[in-house]
Amino acid sequence: MLDIRKDIFANERDDNLNVVGKGIQRQDMPGHVTGRSPFFDDHAFEGLLHLKVVRSPHHHARIRSIDVSAAERAPGVKRILRAADVPVNKNTLLSLINFGKDDEPSLALDKVHYKGEPVVAIIADSEAAAMAARRLVRIDYEALPHVFDVEEALKPGAPVVNETYPNNYFEYHDKFDHQKLRFGDTEKAFKSADIVIEERYQMSPIEHAPTETNGSIAAPEQDNRFVVHSCAQGLFFSLGTAAKILDIESNRLHFIGGTVGGGFGGKVDSLTEPLAILGAMLTGRPVRYVLDREEEMLYGSPRGAERIYVKDGVMRDGRIIARHIRSYFDAGAYTRLSSYAAVKCTAHVPGPYWIPNASSDIYVAYTNRCPSTAMRGFGITAVDFALEVQMDKLAHAVNMDPMEFRILNAYRDNDMKPHRRVAKNTALIECVQVAAEKARWPISDNAKRQSSLVGGGEGERGQIPATLIDQRGQIGRPETRNAPSTQTLPAGTTRIPLTKQPELEGSRDSRAAAPNVPRYEPARPMAQPAVQAPAPLAPMSPTAPPPQPVAAPPGAAPTPGATPQHGAMRFSSVFGTRRR
Amino acid sequence: MARHKGRGMASINYPIGMNLGGDPSQALIHSNPDGKFTVALSAIDLGQGMKQVTRQVAAETLGVPIEDVYVDTADSDTGPHDMGSFASRGTHRMGNAVIAAAREARGVLLEAAAEELEVNAADLVTDGRGNIHVRGAPSRTITVRATAQAAQFKQGKTIAGRGIFLVPLSTVDAETGEMNPNTAFAHACLVADVEVDDETGEVTLLGITSAYELGRALNPKMVEQQLVGGAWMGQSHALFETPEPYYPNPDHGPRDFNEYLMPGPGDIAPYSVSVLERPAPDGPFGGKGPGEMCANPVLPAVANAVFNAVGVRVDELPITPEKVLRGIRAIGGAQPQARRGG
């Protein structure tokens, strides 16, 4: 089923290793296959209480009043939590790295922004008692207009979903309603393309569907601390989020986790820990808060929908000369992590291809649905679907085989990427070649001869072109969305220094570096295989020109080591957006 | 009415670790007096194999047998800070942190052995079976166990190490999107074979063939587990799943696994994969991370295969029988495209 092609890139590897590279059985496997591995919910506590939340039945509504008097008197009910009980009842997950404004309450105060938003929490002796008391909570709502479509939400006059971002979009750099990518001049290139294809793609929301639903158990300890059994995907991320919401020092929380029954991104949001700990603080007893399957399905935070428009200009010989992407992340009612995904998506444009003119406008829009969150391939999965279906359409339009079309346009070592960094360590061409061979999908000898190691970075492939920039989409000014370009940045312009290289710490200072550590760097210099330079594959050119070594113009590529940055840098300086 | 076979492909790359960096991982390693090592982390094992990959990386770097290393995770009182298990960052970030910690611990181990053997630590090598000996002189040897006992009870040395790995945080330019997003990228190309029933609109996935370039397969069994499981998820994303079937209308959401459609055992297609290894210069032993990317190429490859089978483009996921049937009707009947090998 799986084989390893050791013959490819063999001269870049040192395969003389003892343990790494062997399919050794996992230390936790016996526990998993016999059902004995302990998960967060496998911890018994004396006097355990159970927490359940009352959720909004409306997509968008003002809360006129909340009456919990009947629920408080219900059998087994120990404590009811309201918005006022939460010490810091507004948070955004990425505030831990200073990115974005606090926009989401743990319990809704005066408005609900999506169907299923928690309003009141009930803590009782049993789950059944908590669920019974849930029905006794009386909440008087005034329904408000709602918006579900990302493009409708961005129109002037749409209902305001999230008061922290009153224009229904996440604000980038304190300046724009979206994240931009600009490389070359896509508009001009579209005019000179033989064929222009513009298409719309839609990724639907997806549920993570873990076997183990989200949950946690928090218990007071005897030393003024709380132990928390958690299924968090980021232990300290969740600990930090809980400490902030509860306004306590982080060392009063002792998080235990590490074995999780399915995550896929759905256990990053700390959905249950803050309220479980708050319950333990206010009752003095252990509190368990676990989503049931229906809550997990409907309100457990899905992969967000994305709407993506891809516009490509392609020449009849198959070369893509321009690509523009406009896409909308559906964040739901609150930001959670969508703001991060849009920047990751921007870095991914235009996919693993070299395209001389590329640009994108990526929006994060708020709608009155359950906030979406990270999921496997966050920021990439949907745009890869759009790009690769688009690639199939382009290949069809120029009458080329889709494999050959990929190889022709594939990025190679030393090519300049649109985020203005040089591609290294590429291997797309080799993957296409191996997949074609394996699937017995015929490709031409010319396509088989291509290599990621050769031909990249030559001529304009290694350069940053003159680039049109603009001030479109200024915050609060929808009329600027169609403004013209304002300036042309000269070829070779870079504005962001290379961050310093990652460093392996641990063998410095007083202790001697360990000798004879197995090497993991490429061991030998690469031999240059005899491969042709990239040339149009179809129609076959009888005399493909030999590769011409071209000296990079000054300033074309960022110089390693130029202006290294030192010390801690916060995301606030990345995006200029401070929380609170 | 007929069943039409079709083939589609997609090729992708994937960034390893949090975009822009700024996501540190730490590791601590120490030996007990018998030369058995514990790796203390706060990384999360979601089933992807975090404990095992860090165990192998630690054993390789320390130069000791895998049985002599256990990984303890995740307790915030004993495991040092880690950003978390997401963004395909576990192997790359934590793997490097473990290498750093293991290098330091190995340095002390060899110093302690050098003192016992009265040689220079730089002349010592490990055999991976629990012994340390002088390079080129296998008879001048001491076990890791004896070394640890000497370090603990005679020399007063802690055989321990700390490690952190951090890709420094990058800024982003507001107007051009210039940034340093990531240092390592993995690659893949995937072929999907489908059969489309033009009477029911049903799409059956017949088989998947792929090539993945992952830097280095640190544990090929776990790579296989990731790639196969991820392909199932990709199949499910492509053909079955969504909690909002009429998006953006949010109604008709599923409440349980009876209402939320996913492939069952009978829907799973045979899968054949080749792994390529082009080591990442800053990856642990060159490793990248197959965790997230392995669902991605399945979605477009299946969509392209449906087009190849019946000439219908479905640009909105999931590709339900209803959408396929409507597409076939809109073009006046199935239009099979050119066959592509197989």
Side-chain angles (χ1 to χ4, degrees):
Chain A
M1 206 164 186
L2 178 139
D3 60 271
I4 299 187
R5 290 290 300 266
K6 291 279 184 192
D7 56 313
I8 303 171
F9 303 119
N11 61 348
E12 295 190 34
R13 272 194 327 270
D14 185 349
D15 283 335
N16 184 26
L17 299 172
N18 274 328
V19 183
V20 161
K22 296 202 166 56
I24 300 165
Q25 190 185 87
R26 307 152 55 142
Q27 76 182 53
D28 53 5
M29 185 60 79
H32 284 358
V33 298
T34 58
R36 284 173 171 79
S37 298
F39 293 80
F40 84 89
D41 208 14
D42 291 322
H43 297 87
F45 287 88
E46 199 178 336
L48 181 68
L49 301 178
H50 299 264
L51 185 150
K52 286 283 166 189
V53 297
V54 178
R55 297 180 182 274
S56 161
H58 298 283
H59 297 296
H60 195 195
R62 197 173 313 285
I63 300 173
R64 285 206 193 98
S65 66
I66 300 175
D67 178 4
V68 297
S69 53
E72 275 174 333
R73 291 192 303 271
V77 171
K78 289 287 180 278
R79 172 87 200 204
I80 289 184
L81 306 179
R82 303 263 305 261
D85 296 312
V86 183
V88 178
N89 194 27
K90 218 172 207 191
N91 180 49
T92 192
L93 290 170
L94 291 177
S95 65
L96 292 186
I97 49 176
N98 269 358
F99 180 30
K101 305 173 197 172
D102 289 338
D103 66 346
E104 181 171 4
S106 295
L107 293 171
L109 177 62
D110 49 6
K111 257 184 84 181
V112 287
H113 302 82
Y114 67 95
K115 187 177 171 181
E117 180 161 6
V119 184
V120 169
I122 296 171
I123 301 170
D125 285 333
S126 67
E127 277 191 286
M131 287 194 275
R134 203 156 60 167
R135 289 193 288 275
L136 301 174
V137 174
R138 300 273 170 263
I139 304 174
D140 183 18
Y141 292 102
E142 174 195 347
L144 297 171
H146 50 246
V147 60
F148 296 134
D149 184 273
V150 282
E151 291 179 86
E152 293 298 319
L154 296 187
K155 287 181 181 163
V160 174
V161 174
N162 178 335
E163 285 72 17
T164 306
Y165 296 100
N167 298 302
N168 290 345
Y169 47 73
F170 185 81
E171 297 164 359
Y172 281 96
H173 311 280
D174 285 336
K175 199 170 174 185
F176 295 126
D177 60 11
H178 64 289
Q179 174 65 54
K180 294 174 194 286
L181 179 77
R182 298 287 183 269
F183 186 75
D185 186 345
T186 41
E187 284 308 317
K188 194 171 144 198
F190 285 137
K191 292 196 182 83
S192 59
D194 290 333
I195 302 167
V196 174
I197 296 181
E198 182 170 16
E199 297 281 322
R200 173 192 191 269
Y201 300 92
Q202 179 71 54
M203 177 89 197
S204 293
I206 303 272
E207 159 61 17
H208 304 86
T211 308
E212 167 201 66
T213 59
N214 267 281
S216 55
I217 302 174
E221 297 202 305
Q222 301 314 307
D223 52 3
N224 202 28
R225 302 173 82 208
F226 297 88
V227 65
V228 183
H229 292 278
S230 164
C231 64
Q233 282 182 243
L235 198 75
F236 276 93
F237 203 89
S238 196
L239 189 155
T241 297
K244 179 191 164 188
I245 289 172
L246 301 170
D247 196 22
I248 60 175
E249 293 295 339
S250 57
N251 68 348
R252 288 187 61 202
L253 297 177
H254 176 193
F255 268 56
I256 300 173
T259 302
V260 174
F264 310 113
K267 290 172 178 166
V268 182
D269 289 5
S270 306
L271 289 175
T272 64
E273 288 85 351
L275 287 182
I277 302 165
L278 182 62
M281 293 169 88
L282 295 179
T283 63
R285 287 173 58 176
V287 173
R288 172 180 176 269
Y289 176 17
V290 181
L291 302 191
D292 62 32
R293 181 58 62 186
E294 183 174 334
E295 287 178 301
E296 181 73 40
M297 281 276 176
L298 293 175
Y299 316 121
S301 203
R303 178 200 289 282
E306 290 172 49
R307 182 170 303 154
I308 301 166
Y309 296 87
V310 184
K311 183 178 181 183
D312 286 331
V314 62
M315 306 307 286
R316 292 202 193 284
D317 64 10
R319 288 175 296 120
I320 307 169
I321 61 165
R323 170 165 285 174
H324 177 72
I325 291 171
R326 175 166 54 97
S327 91
Y328 302 88
F329 279 77
D330 189 342
Y334 299 112
T335 308
R336 301 249 173 119
L337 307 161
S338 298
S339 50
Y340 158 85
V343 181
K344 184 170 180 177
C345 184
T346 300
H348 191 62
V349 174
Y353 305 104
W354 181 76
I355 299 177
N357 302 280
S359 56
S360 65
D361 297 305
I362 317 275
Y363 295 80
V364 171
Y366 298 99
T367 60
N368 291 106
R369 57 165 45 79
C370 179
S372 59
T373 192
M375 189 172 182
R376 191 179 210 160
F378 196 30
I380 309 289
T381 301
V383 77
D384 271 356
F385 166 70
L387 289 178
E388 288 303 304
V389 173
Q390 179 86 359
M391 290 297 283
D392 207 58
K393 293 177 184 175
L394 296 177
H396 193 76
V398 298
N399 198 24
M400 262 184 90
D401 177 272
M403 293 264 189
E404 306 237 350
F405 185 68
R406 291 332 191 271
I407 290 174
L408 171 64
N409 286 289
Y411 76 156
R412 303 176 184 224
D413 286 4
N414 303 315
D415 280 343
M416 182 61 64
K417 299 201 223 178
H419 57 262
R420 290 170 155 71
R421 294 296 178 267
V422 176
K424 292 172 290 188
N425 195 236
T426 62
L428 192 79
I429 290 173
E430 288 72 13
C431 284
V432 176
Q433 289 164 336
V434 170
E437 178 191 326
K438 207 175 167 63
R440 296 191 294 278
W441 178 315
I443 57 173
S444 69
D445 288 343
N446 188 22
K448 286 178 192 164
R449 278 197 303 271
Q450 301 304 312
S451 164
S452 294
L453 310 179
V454 178
E458 291 178 358
E460 62 170 348
R461 293 183 72 114
Q463 295 172 26
I464 297 169
T467 295
L468 279 181
I469 61 169
D470 57 72
Q471 301 294 313
R472 283 175 204 147
Q474 292 168 37
I475 290 171
R477 297 184 59 200
E479 75 281 4
T480 64
R481 282 195 190 135
N482 294 314
S485 297
T486 48
Q487 195 185 339
T488 301
L489 295 178
T493 302
T494 59
R495 292 168 157 188
I496 306 273
L498 271 181
T499 32
K500 63 180 178 179
Q501 289 298 304
E503 218 172 310
L504 274 172
E505 194 214 40
S507 55
R508 294 183 296 170
D509 54 57
S510 60
R511 291 178 167 187
N516 308 325
V517 174
R519 282 179 304 181
Y520 55 92
E521 296 86 5
R524 287 174 288 277
M526 294 178 295
Q528 292 293 323
V531 187
Q532 282 188 316
L537 301 183
M540 287 291 293
S541 155
T543 52
Q548 298 292 326
V550 176
T559 319
T563 332
Q565 297 181 346
H566 298 286
M569 192 206 304
R570 307 301 299 246
F571 273 76
S572 57
S573 58
V574 178
F575 294 98
T577 307
R578 290 206 76 85
R579 64 183 166 96
R580 283 183 290 184
Chain B
M1 296 301 167
R3 291 162 177 265
H4 305 274
K5 288 190 175 175
R7 283 197 129 181
M9 57 82 58
S11 61
I12 61 158
N13 69 345
Y14 199 84
I16 303 304
M18 266 178 75
N19 191 56
L20 305 179
D23 55 330
S25 287
Q26 289 185 33
L28 297 174
I29 294 182
H30 71 274
S31 163
N32 78 6
D34 293 324
K36 311 294 183 188
F37 288 84
T38 298
V39 182
L41 310 174
S42 67
I44 305 297
D45 200 315
L46 306 162
Q48 85 279 41
M50 195 69 227
K51 285 182 212 170
Q52 182 63 19
V53 77
T54 48
R55 188 185 185 204
Q56 286 181 231
V57 165
E60 184 74 52
T61 311
L62 288 163
V64 302
I66 185 98
E67 299 79 21
D68 290 357
V69 178
Y70 278 93
V71 175
D72 176 35
T73 193
D75 181 320
S76 66
D77 276 8
T78 57
H81 176 268
D82 168 44
M83 207 77 185
S85 289
F86 43 76
S88 299
R89 62 183 299 287
T91 292
H92 189 264
R93 306 295 204 254
M94 188 54 89
N96 273 322
V98 168
I99 285 177
R103 281 169 73 158
E104 188 171 72
R106 178 184 165 93
V108 186
L109 176 73
L110 296 188
E111 278 175 21
E115 198 167 318
E116 293 306 298
L117 294 172
E118 296 181 338
V119 296
N120 191 327
D123 296 331
L124 293 176
V125 291
T126 46
D127 68 357
R129 295 192 297 275
N131 304 301
I132 302 167
H133 61 80
V134 176
R135 186 186 288 106
S139 60
R140 297 191 66 190
T141 184
I142 183 170
T143 62
V144 171
R145 177 191 293 265
T147 306
Q149 284 172 344
Q152 173 74 2
F153 296 107
K154 216 168 105 188
Q155 302 175 11
K157 275 195 173 84
T158 55
I159 299 179
R162 314 145 284 173
I164 185 168
F165 184 73
L166 171 64
V167 175
L169 183 63
S170 167
T171 50
V172 179
D173 186 64
E175 278 145 2
T176 62
E178 179 182 349
M179 60 178 125
N180 306 302
N182 255 307
T183 61
F185 294 82
H187 303 86
C189 178
L190 185 141
V191 177
D193 282 292
V194 304
E195 189 174 76
V196 182
D197 186 322
D198 67 7
E199 188 173 9
T200 64
E202 196 179 355
V203 178
T204 306
L205 189 59
L206 301 175
I208 308 176
T209 310
S210 74
Y212 274 81
E213 186 280 309
L214 301 169
R216 188 189 292 273
L218 302 187
N219 180 320
K221 286 284 177 201
M222 294 201 303
V223 167
E224 183 174 4
Q225 152 205 297
Q226 288 271 32
L227 297 186
V228 173
W232 293 349
M233 184 178 267
Q235 176 184 358
S236 191
H237 279 27
L239 296 172
F240 291 83
E241 285 185 77
T242 181
E244 296 191 35
Y246 300 97
Y247 179 88
N249 179 337
D251 297 337
H252 304 287
R255 290 160 297 183
D256 57 28
F257 288 129
N258 292 316
E259 297 177 355
Y260 190 70
L261 287 184
M262 292 190 287
D267 298 310
I268 297 303
Y271 188 11
S272 176
V273 51
S274 290
V275 167
L276 284 62
E277 298 178 312
R278 186 173 194 199
D282 70 346
F285 300 96
K288 299 176 182 174
E292 293 179 283
M293 65 184 301
C294 47
N296 292 354
V298 182
L299 283 61
V302 167
N304 295 338
V306 169
F307 173 76
N308 185 244
V310 292
V312 171
R313 291 286 182 196
V314 181
D315 293 339
E316 300 198 7
L317 292 173
I319 302 168
T320 58
E322 177 183 341
K323 290 175 190 168
V324 173
L325 266 191
R326 287 184 191 281
I328 290 173
R329 281 191 195 155
I331 59 172
Q335 294 176 9
Q337 306 292 306
R339 296 284 300 150
R340 289 160 180 155

